[in-house]
């Protein structure tokens, strides 16, 4: 764009033609924002544009159709989603599943992106990720066979090795490392533009150790949350924060809630709570600006997160 | 900061055998390194037996499922069961002595091999003390001139460290859970740095009330846990549960003959069962086991 005026002057074009050419870029930028919008301040959007954008938002499937349904298709990009639940409910499993699913290529309806997995607890197991990756590849070739009736073309598409290679895995052992890494994310993702999901498993662990000064903890955490929101917006990727639960002692009774306190709960756009209901695992949308609160069963199978087994039976009987 | 390449990770992640193929199968190879595994059970269920056996098996060469490593054993209750360790080590020696010597031979003469030499025992009496000696543990891991590097840390039991000192007030509970996270954070850091397998044992408390779990919170694959006919749950509560990577439950049942076929169930023996309560790499599974003079063994059926 800098060179355009020079270019036209060299060609000795008339002023009106030069003016016309200068209008081109502004018209293009207006086109970017959708038809009929008038962008007054750079970066400002009106609600109509945002609605347009929201409907075109890309989502990462959870591999559980019921859960995808209530989420409107999966975990949304450009937003921060918090997933909390008791130990053993499947938070890490959900994290691994998303790190694999973000890589589903576009010809299979995915994003074809890469994942950043920040492990603060040491629960990420490579053997499990490989299991989930292999199942995902099987499902993809099944899907493409169904879609294209073309076996040969997709046999070589992807390997579980590639999937593991496309997960940028960081293991952090202290809260200082965690803060440093989150500050560094911006730079890292600038160099790796194809990252489409950042998973932090868990956001909580190191912040429950050393913080005697709770006010300081709150400030540090909200600073971190702001940075993560910014990363999500700038690079249009999904940020998924896994959180632990604690019991709160209020008025003589114990109540279950997500860790890190009340002020933290403002830090995420969406919140999903995982819980047991009888012998079934359920996910519940606790907070979302655009989704109805609803719950759906899911199960953790050897292949990863899937629809609940009992639901599957019900579907089969019909 | 650079990400780690998952393809360069040992695959599957290195495990320490329990010394019995049936138990190993139940845990997909044994106790994982770079991870904290909790075993909880009521007293007399075999937690300590399992830990002692594990400390011996860590010395086995990698080809036999071990870590070629020595163990650091912290005991917090009673006195350390030296006699039982000697008994187990005799059986271990007669079974594996040659394999361990073969493995070690290339470096030095290792003729008078005694498995007990590779288990370092230390008693700990409080959570604060455990936290205080963490730097010592670290320097021991770095500097020890032991024949085998230390690759296994056992804390038997972690519950005993916390059960006396703390009141049931909210300030004490907060102080307690802060300690949980500090200890677990430090252990995980060491586990990562030295690729250690960390095993902690935990006690049970009687389950009071109805519904699922304490305060209606169910943790893990089993809706309710029974041992010796009583409904139990692990001690130390929800906060500690968030501090471990995997949790195993050793259940005990005195009436071993109830549903067993005649003859197949060993008469007069307590029925014991190992359950996977949660683990990032394992589905739910369980396995019956027996404790003999020679050690702990799974029962295949």
């Amino acid at each position: 764009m800098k060179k355009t005026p020079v270019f036209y002057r060299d060609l000795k074009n008339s002023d009106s033609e030069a003016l016309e050419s200068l209008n081109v870029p502004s018209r293009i930028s207006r086109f970017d924002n959708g038809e009929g919008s008038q962008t007054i301040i750079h970066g400002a959007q009106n609600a109509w544009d945002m609605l347009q954008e929201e409907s075109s938002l890309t989502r990462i499937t959870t591999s559980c159709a019921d859960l995808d349904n209530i989420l409107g298709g999966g975990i949304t990009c450009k937003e921060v989603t918090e997933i909390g639940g008791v130990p053993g409910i499947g938070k890490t499993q959900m994290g691994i599943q998303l790190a694999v699913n973000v890589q589903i290529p576009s010809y299979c309806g995915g994003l074809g992106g890469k994942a950043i997995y920040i492990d603060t607890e040491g629960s990420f197991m490579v053997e499990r990720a490989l299991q989930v990756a292999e199942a995902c590849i099987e499902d993809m070739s099944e899907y493409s066979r169904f879609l294209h009736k073309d076996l040969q073309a997709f046999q070589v598409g992807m390997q579980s090795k590639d999937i593991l290679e496309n997960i940028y895995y960081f293991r952090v052992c202290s809260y200082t490392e965690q803060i440093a890494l989150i500050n560094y994310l911006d730079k890292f993702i600038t160099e790796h533009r194809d990252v489409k999901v950042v998973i932090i498993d868990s956001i909580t662990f190191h912040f429950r150790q050393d913080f005697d000064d709770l006010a300081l903890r709150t400030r540090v955490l909200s600073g971190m949350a702001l940075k993560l929101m910014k990363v999500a917006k700038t690079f249009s990727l999904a940020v998924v924060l896994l959180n632990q639960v604690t019991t709160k002692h209020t008025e003589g009774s114990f109540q279950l809630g997500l860790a890190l306190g009340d002020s933290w709960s403002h830090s995420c756009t969406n919140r999903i709570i995982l819980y047991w209901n009888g012998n079934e695992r359920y996910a519940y949308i606790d907070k979302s600006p655009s989704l109805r609160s609803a719950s759906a069963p899911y199960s953790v199978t050897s292949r990863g997160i899937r629809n609940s087994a009992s639901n599957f039976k019900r579907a089969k009987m019909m | 900061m650079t990400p780690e390449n998952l393809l360069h990770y040992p695959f599957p992640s290195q495990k320490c055998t329990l010394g019995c193929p049936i138990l190993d199968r139940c845990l997909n190879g044994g106790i994982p390194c770079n991870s904290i595994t909790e075993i909880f059970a009521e007293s007399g269920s075999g937690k300590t037996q399992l830990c002692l056996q594990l400390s011996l098996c860590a010395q086995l060469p990698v080809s036999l499922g071990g870590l070629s490593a020595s163990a650091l054993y912290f005991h917090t209750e009673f006195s350390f069961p030296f006699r039982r360790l000697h008994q187990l080590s005799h059986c271990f020696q007669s079974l594996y002595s040659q394999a361990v010597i073969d493995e070690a031979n290339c470096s030095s003469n290792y003729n008078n091999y005694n498995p007990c030499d590779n288990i370092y025992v230390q008693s700990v009496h409080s959570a604060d003390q455990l936290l205080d000696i963490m730097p010592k543990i670290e320097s021991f891991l770095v500097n020890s001139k032991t024949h085998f590097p230390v690759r296994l840390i056992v804390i038997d039991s972690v519950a005993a460290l916390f059960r006396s000192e703390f009141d049931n007030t909210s300030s004490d509970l907060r102080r307690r859970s802060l300690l949980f996270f500090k200890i677990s954070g430090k252990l995980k850091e060491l586990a990562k740095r030295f690729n250690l397998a960390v095993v902690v044992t935990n006690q049970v408390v009687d389950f009071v009330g109805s519904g699922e779990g304490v305060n209606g919170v169910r943790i893990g694959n089993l809706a309710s846990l029974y041992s010796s006919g009583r409904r139990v749950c692990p001690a130390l509560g929800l906060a500690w549960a968030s501090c471990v990577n995997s949790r195993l439950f050793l259940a005990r049942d005195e009436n071993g003959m109830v549903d067993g076929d005649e003859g197949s169930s060993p008469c007069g023996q307590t029925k014991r069962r190992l359950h996977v309560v949660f683990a990032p790499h394992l589905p739910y599974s369980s396995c019956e086991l027996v404790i003999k003079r020679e050690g702990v063994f799974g029962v295949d059926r």
Side-chain angles (χ1 to χ4, degrees):
Chain A
M1 265 173 59
K2 256 185 195 166
K3 280 193 175 170
T4 7
V6 185
F7 179 65
Y8 275 94
R9 202 175 49 214
D10 288 351
L11 285 175
K12 293 197 170 56
N13 270 5
S14 71
D15 284 355
S16 64
E17 269 178 294
L19 210 66
E20 176 70 15
S21 70
L22 282 173
N23 271 335
V24 174
S26 71
R27 238 184 285 138
I28 288 169
S29 70
R30 200 188 293 169
F31 179 73
D32 268 351
N33 288 328
E35 278 300 302
S37 79
Q38 296 292 326
T39 312
I40 300 160
I41 308 161
H42 175 70
Q45 287 176 303
N46 62 30
W48 172 253
D49 291 339
M50 285 159 78
L51 184 67
Q52 293 285 306
E53 194 174 75
E54 199 179 287
S55 61
S56 67
L57 268 189
T58 40
R59 291 183 162 86
I60 305 165
T61 170
T62 59
S63 286
C64 167
D66 292 337
L67 185 51
D68 279 355
N69 268 342
I70 63 165
L71 288 171
I75 304 289
T76 359
C77 289
K78 287 199 175 187
E79 286 179 6
V80 178
T81 304
E82 181 183 23
I83 302 177
V86 291
I89 192 73
K91 301 186 293 293
T92 300
Q93 304 299 322
M94 202 63 96
I96 292 174
Q97 187 73 57
L98 291 170
V100 169
N101 285 359
V102 74
Q103 302 182 40
I104 298 174
S106 50
Y107 58 77
C108 289
L111 267 72
K114 293 184 179 176
I116 292 180
Y117 200 101
I118 301 173
D119 186 7
T120 68
E121 302 199 5
S123 283
F124 184 92
M125 301 289 262
V126 183
E127 57 204 274
R128 181 62 182 149
L130 195 71
Q131 242 176 12
V132 173
E134 271 161 5
C136 179
I137 288 170
E138 267 174 44
D139 286 356
M140 278 191 306
S141 47
E142 183 87 355
Y143 172 81
S144 60
R145 209 172 306 161
F146 169 75
L147 209 67
H148 302 278
K149 311 244 183 297
D150 182 6
L151 265 162
Q152 292 299 316
F154 291 96
Q155 283 298 311
V156 275
M158 236 174 159
Q159 286 187 325
S160 50
K161 191 166 85 40
D162 305 328
I163 291 192
L164 285 191
E165 212 161 16
N166 288 337
I167 301 175
Y168 298 115
Y169 175 78
F170 294 90
R171 172 85 170 92
V172 295
C173 288
S174 70
Y175 70 86
T176 34
E177 269 178 60
Q178 187 174 333
I179 295 167
L181 179 58
I182 283 163
N183 289 338
Y184 169 66
L185 275 183
D186 199 60
K187 187 167 177 290
F188 185 83
I189 300 171
T190 313
E191 288 158 13
H192 301 82
R193 287 279 179 169
D194 40 6
V195 168
K196 282 291 160 232
V197 68
V198 176
I199 298 149
I200 307 185
D201 177 13
S202 67
I203 192 85
T204 334
F205 183 70
H206 295 304
F207 287 90
R208 294 181 76 180
Q209 298 173 35
D210 281 323
F211 279 89
D212 297 322
D213 183 355
L214 285 180
L216 177 69
R217 185 177 89 165
T218 307
R219 276 205 301 282
V220 170
L221 280 169
S222 52
M224 209 161 65
L226 278 176
K227 287 209 178 80
L228 289 168
M229 271 189 203
K230 193 167 158 262
V231 163
K233 276 262 181 286
T234 345
F235 301 102
S236 19
L237 50 78
V239 173
V240 178
L241 310 176
L242 306 182
N243 195 358
Q244 302 172 340
V245 293
T246 58
T247 40
K248 267 182 229 156
H249 193 86
T250 41
E251 289 156 20
S253 71
F254 285 97
Q255 272 195 321
L256 204 64
L258 291 191
L260 301 181
D262 292 330
S263 60
W264 170 257
S265 53
H266 300 291
S267 304
C268 299
T269 323
N270 308 297
R271 183 180 308 117
I272 302 166
I273 301 205
L274 309 178
Y275 64 99
W276 286 101
N277 183 5
N279 266 326
E280 264 185 315
R281 292 172 157 98
Y282 271 75
Y284 169 72
I285 300 177
D286 182 51
K287 175 187 163 186
S288 164
S290 54
L291 298 166
R292 227 147 47 93
S293 64
S295 61
Y298 69 97
S299 66
V300 181
T301 70
S302 61
R303 301 167 61 82
I305 305 282
R306 291 294 184 270
N307 259 351
S308 174
S310 63
N311 250 31
F312 184 60
K313 264 182 238 152
R314 237 176 283 147
K316 254 190 167 174
M317 283 196 301
M318 297 193 299
Chain B
M1 267 178 280
T2 42
E4 297 171 60
N5 190 338
L6 294 175
L7 291 178
H8 297 162
Y9 257 64
F11 172 79
S13 57
Q14 210 180 357
K15 311 258 172 61
C16 180
T17 173
L18 287 162
C20 162
I22 298 165
L23 292 178
D24 282 351
R25 201 188 315 142
C26 180
L27 301 182
N28 198 12
I31 304 291
C33 290
N34 191 1
S35 184
I36 299 184
T37 306
E38 180 198 74
I39 303 171
F40 77 94
E42 62 172 318
S43 66
S45 301
K47 303 187 290 283
T48 303
Q49 304 289 323
L50 215 53
C51 290
L52 291 175
Q53 185 161 319
L54 191 71
S55 310
L56 288 167
C57 291
Q59 298 170 31
L60 288 173
V62 179
S63 58
L64 291 177
L67 302 171
S68 279
S70 49
L72 202 52
Y73 199 110
F74 296 98
H75 63 101
T76 65
E77 327 172 71
F78 322 116
S79 53
F80 183 78
F82 283 109
R83 282 180 62 184
R84 179 60 175 149
L85 179 64
H86 277 293
Q87 198 177 31
L88 286 172
S89 103
H90 275 300
C91 304
F92 179 82
Q93 206 165 2
S94 60
L95 270 172
Y96 298 115
S97 175
Q98 203 52 49
V100 177
I101 289 170
D102 285 349
E103 179 82 2
N105 228 355
C106 30
S107 55
S108 66
N109 55 336
Y110 209 62
N111 288 329
N112 36 9
Y113 169 64
N114 181 356
C116 294
D117 289 345
N118 296 316
I119 299 174
Y120 302 94
V121 179
Q122 162 90 51
S123 75
V124 184
H125 303 294
S126 73
D128 288 313
Q129 193 196 349
L130 181 64
L131 214 54
D132 286 344
I133 61 169
M134 283 294 181
K136 271 193 201 163
I137 300 173
E138 197 173 329
S139 68
F140 183 75
L141 291 173
V142 176
N143 300 315
S144 68
K145 302 280 186 291
T146 52
H147 193 83
F148 289 132
V150 176
R151 293 280 307 279
L152 171 69
I153 291 184
V154 176
I155 300 175
D156 181 22
S157 75
V158 81
L161 297 173
F162 290 99
R163 288 199 88 169
S164 51
E165 267 182 63
F166 297 89
D167 278 335
N168 200 11
T169 62
S170 68
S171 74
D172 258 27
L173 286 175
R174 198 171 304 133
R175 195 161 63 86
R176 193 179 78 156
S177 64
L178 205 67
L179 271 174
F180 290 161
F181 281 93
K182 276 186 181 168
I183 288 174
S184 153
K186 195 71 198 156
L187 283 173
K188 283 179 178 173
E189 193 190 320
L190 293 176
K192 161 73 186 156
R193 201 168 140 205
F194 300 96
N195 201 13
L196 304 172
V198 180
V199 175
V200 299
T201 66
N202 192 3
Q203 303 168 344
V204 297
V205 290
D206 274 324
F207 178 85
V208 194
S210 57
E212 289 184 336
V214 182
N215 303 319
V217 183
R218 164 178 168 172
I219 296 175
N221 294 315
L222 299 155
S224 51
L225 308 159
Y226 288 93
S227 192
S228 296
R230 297 183 342 256
R231 196 160 168 201
V232 296
C233 58
L236 306 183
L238 179 63
W240 176 252
S242 307
C243 287
V244 299
N245 297 118
S246 312
R247 173 172 265 183
L248 308 174
F249 172 48
L250 253 176
R252 191 170 98 129
D253 191 359
E254 302 286 0
N255 314 314
M257 296 292 285
V258 174
D259 53 351
D261 294 82
E262 234 163 295
S264 68
S265 171
C267 211
Q269 244 170 0
T270 315
K271 215 172 179 180
R272 299 162 203 276
R273 191 166 266 281
L274 182 72
H275 299 271
V276 177
V277 177
F278 64 79
H281 61 302
L282 294 174
Y284 170 73
S285 68
S286 75
C287 166
E288 198 181 326
L289 51 86
V290 289
I291 301 178
K292 296 184 196 162
R293 203 177 68 86
E294 297 83 13
V296 186
F297 300 97
V299 181
D300 211 0
R301 60 180 70 199

